[in-house]
Amino acid sequence: MFDSIVVRRTTPMASSYPLDLGRLAETMLYYRTVRLILTRHSVTQLVQQCGPDLALEIVSNTNIDAVFADRDLAVKNEGVGTAQERHRPVSIKVMSEPDDEMVVRLFREATGKSGKGRRMANRFIGQTRSHSLPSNLTDAAADDWQDDVFMRKAIIETVNAFAPGYTLPADLEARLVPQEDGYFMLKSNLDWTALREEYQAKSSADDLTPGHLLVSIVDMREDLYLGATFAAGIAQDSLGARLVQAKCADLAASVDAQQAKIDQFNEIVVRGLVDLRSAVNSGALPFGDFIRLLPDADKFRGWLDTHTPDADLVKSYAAEATKRRLLSSKPVKELRWLVPAAAGFALFLPNAEVTAPAAAATLAAIDRFVVSRFTEGWRPAIFIDTKLRPSLGRELGKGTSTTRGNTAPSE
């Protein structure tokens, strides 16, 4: 169910750092493979915010596939603030210096030691690989801009994200008109004076231009490419997720369904893990402590792998728990006739509901399997009850549950 996901930017564009570390922790817990797309900004965040040792530990984790992207999509603007303002999607180099030199510099600065910094940097680089974005990705972004239906939806989403208090015109016009030299001009009836005032009232940024709106849209195109390339879902900030929804509802619905299952499972089963993301982001649960729990989560992800995408994790978990309680609460002599009917073995024993104690001998092989699987074997509750929930409760200093709706958004 939770096979792989791409994590590149999970915070809003104006954020100091691109990664929501709590969201990263959540994906590392649930997904078999997390494709962590590294740029100069994300590597800087890992080394400076997490520290050099933990940064190295993160990219070395068995379910992290750390990938350096060589380029990034951006928007080139001309005539900003004039009636002739124009825009063009472009591809720019992500790194202002070679990957290895940048990583060495960051680790040397963080450790304060030249030799140790280089050794740690080399180990970090050894856990990564490089990926080149295709040169024609800008053409795909330009195609998006010429899709009038999508662009109207995208402009609505970006305006609502940047200036939620601004009232959009009821007869909104928003389209990009292509020019002969590859540039585009935005034709809209947006009140840019009112839009800027609303934006500046909630942001420390100086200005808001059409280029700010458009760069979020090309960023969505890059996420779509990476998701398709790695055959994975995409972890994004809230605006990016809404733009993907506007562009291709089927893909977004799949990722949204996975996240909904995570949230439901957290809230109902784990009772407190629902706050994992904010606990990591606030520092209440240090990322390093979370990383040390992950080896115990491997079988938990294996249990998730056995479920189809439309499976109800809560019901599946409850079924496992019910089987365990039945086995532990009845005498062994009754196990031979009680378990097959009560634990759902009617799937392969159609007449199990009428099985009597006298027929128990015929079920000996099944009994041995049941005892091994459910009384001695691994269950999802083992990890949740003995590892994850106690750790989270200890760090937060509480045992009560908290729903995400009661906390400030982490988007």
Side-chain angles (χ1 to χ4, degrees), residues 111-179:
T111 61
K113 297 180 180 180
S114 177
K116 180 180 179 181
R118 175 172 290 280
R119 288 191 297 272
M120 293 188 71
N122 288 336
R123 289 168 60 196
F124 184 97
I125 294 169
Q127 296 295 330
T128 69
R129 60 191 179 96
S130 299
H131 178 78
S132 298
L133 268 66
S135 58
N136 63 353
L137 196 55
T138 54
D139 295 336
D143 289 342
D144 292 336
W145 285 10
Q146 296 180 77
D147 182 344
D148 291 345
V149 174
F150 164 68
M151 283 304 298
R152 187 177 186 277
K153 295 178 182 177
I155 292 295
I156 290 174
E157 294 293 354
T158 52
V159 168
N160 286 337
F162 281 95
Y166 174 78
T167 302
L168 288 159
D171 58 342
L172 174 66
E173 177 188 4
R175 60 190 180 90
L176 284 161
V177 180
Q179 310 295 296

Side-chain angles (χ1 to χ4, degrees), residues 19 36-40 42-48 50-61 64-68 95 99-100 102-104 106-107 116-129:
L19 297 176
L36 180 58
I37 308 301
L38 298 174
T39 65
R40 172 171 56 89
S42 54
V43 176
T44 300
Q45 176 182 3
L46 290 177
V47 175
Q48 294 182 350
C50 298
D53 293 298
L54 183 54
L56 179 57
E57 195 170 356
I58 289 172
V59 298
S60 302
N61 196 270
I64 285 285
D65 178 18
V67 181
F68 272 110
M95 305 293 181
D99 295 355
D100 54 350
M102 181 268 298
V103 175
V104 169
L106 287 171
F107 273 87
K116 180 180 179 181
R118 175 172 290 280
R119 288 191 297 272
M120 293 188 71
N122 288 336
R123 289 168 60 196
F124 184 97
I125 294 169
Q127 296 295 330
T128 69
R129 60 191 179 96

